[in-house]
Amino acid sequence: QQKVQQSPESLIVPEGGMASLNCTFSDRNSQYFWWYRQHSGEGPKALMSIFSNGDKKEGRFTAHLNKASLYVSLHIKDSQPSDSALYFCAVSPGTGSNRLTFGKGTKFSLIP
Amino acid sequence: EAAVTQSPRNKVAVTGGKVTLSCNQTNNHNNMYWYRQDTGHGLRLIHYSYGAGSTEKGDIPDGYKASRPSQENFSLILELATPSQTSVYFCASGDLGGGTLYFGAGTRLSVL
């Protein structure tokens, strides 16, 4: 059974700072990787996805994937108050599947 | 954006009672999912469905049943509710070919 582990459990950075969220997975056949963000009191929402090894940038967010190392990460630049949330890494087993396995999440907060 | 509506938003149930959580999506997605969210565990998959009339067991199905009477509706049923089923439950939908999952706002269930 797929295991998805995230680190750190919580992360606090100053406004305008940078943050790195890490995720490892256990199934080498995994194909698709997602980052979801959940604000307090809401359901999770997809932030970005990555399917190929390397980096993918969307605005202030950059995802990195290394399938050989079973590793995916999310980097947040110029952190804003709206970024404070719970971030989940999610892994899909293969093409055409959105049966996702989620990690336990990283709680990201900004220093007031 | 995809719309997924859950009802009720909050529910208090008694141990041994029957609980039904409902989910409706208006995006004609084939796939629907039920997750529960607990502190320290992240999101865990209970049941899912690939279309009307079908249900599949997820990673933690014990104590739960699911029903998919139509493309739009997916229910989670607790026949004999227990305090260990106190949690926040999320429904999600997604296209048959994979891709983004769209989550509802969640149902907070307390079993006393």
Side-chain angles (χ1 to χ4, degrees), chain A residues 8-19 21 38-39 76 79-87 106-112:
Chain A
E9 287 187 16
S10 63
L11 185 58
I12 304 176
V13 301
E15 186 172 340
M18 287 187 58
L21 287 66
Q38 183 183 29
H39 288 110
I76 305 173
S79 299
Q80 302 296 309
S82 60
D83 296 334
S84 293
L86 187 58
Y87 288 76
T106 292
K107 185 176 181 181
F108 179 67
S109 306
L110 266 63
I111 298 173

Side-chain angles (χ1 to χ4, degrees), chain A residues 1-2 32 34 36 38 41-47 49 51 86 88 92 94-105, chain B residues 1 9 31 33 35 37 40-43 45 48 50 57-59 90 94-105:
Chain A
Q1 187 177 1
Q2 174 83 266
Y32 296 94
W34 300 84
Y36 279 75
Q38 183 183 29
E42 299 179 3
K45 291 182 181 176
L47 184 62
S49 60
F51 308 145
L86 187 58
F88 291 105
S92 167
T95 304
S97 174
N98 43 29
R99 186 197 188 284
L100 300 178
T101 299
F102 286 81
K104 295 181 180 181
Chain B
E1 186 171 301
R9 291 296 314 279
N31 299 348
Y33 302 84
Y35 287 89
Q37 182 176 20
H41 289 279
L43 290 160
L45 182 62
Y48 59 103
Y50 288 141
K57 293 181 179 179
D59 298 323
F90 287 99
D95 281 333
L96 183 62
T100 303
L101 282 187
Y102 296 89
F103 283 82

Side-chain angles (χ1 to χ4, degrees), chain B residues 10-21 36 38 63-64 76-89 107-112:
Chain B
N10 293 280
K11 174 75 176 178
V12 179
V14 296
T15 298
K18 182 177 181 179
V19 177
T20 300
L21 307 183
R36 65 177 281 177
D38 303 284
Y64 302 94
L76 185 68
I77 303 155
L78 291 66
E79 295 277 5
L80 294 170
T82 68
S84 64
Q85 294 175 313
T86 293
S87 186
V88 181
Y89 292 85
T107 294
R108 184 173 296 275
L109 173 65
S110 296
V111 182
L112 306 178

Side-chain angles (χ1 to χ4, degrees), chain A residues 16-93:
Chain A
M18 287 187 58
S20 294
L21 287 66
N22 306 301
C23 175
T24 60
F25 53 95
S26 62
D27 186 351
R28 291 193 173 276
N29 296 318
S30 301
Q31 296 290 323
Y32 296 94
F33 307 86
W34 300 84
W35 287 97
Y36 279 75
R37 183 168 70 177
Q38 183 183 29
H39 288 110
S40 181
E42 299 179 3
K45 291 182 181 176
L47 184 62
M48 63 187 299
S49 60
I50 185 165
F51 308 145
S52 301
N53 283 328
D55 294 334
K56 179 181 179 182
K57 183 179 180 181
E58 291 187 0
R60 297 183 293 105
F61 299 89
T62 300
H64 171 79
L65 175 62
N66 184 328
K67 290 184 184 179
S69 298
L70 306 175
Y71 174 76
V72 61
S73 62
L74 179 70
H75 304 276
I76 305 173
K77 188 175 67 171
D78 187 23
S79 299
Q80 302 296 309
S82 60
D83 296 334
S84 293
L86 187 58
Y87 288 76
F88 291 105
C89 172
V91 181
S92 167

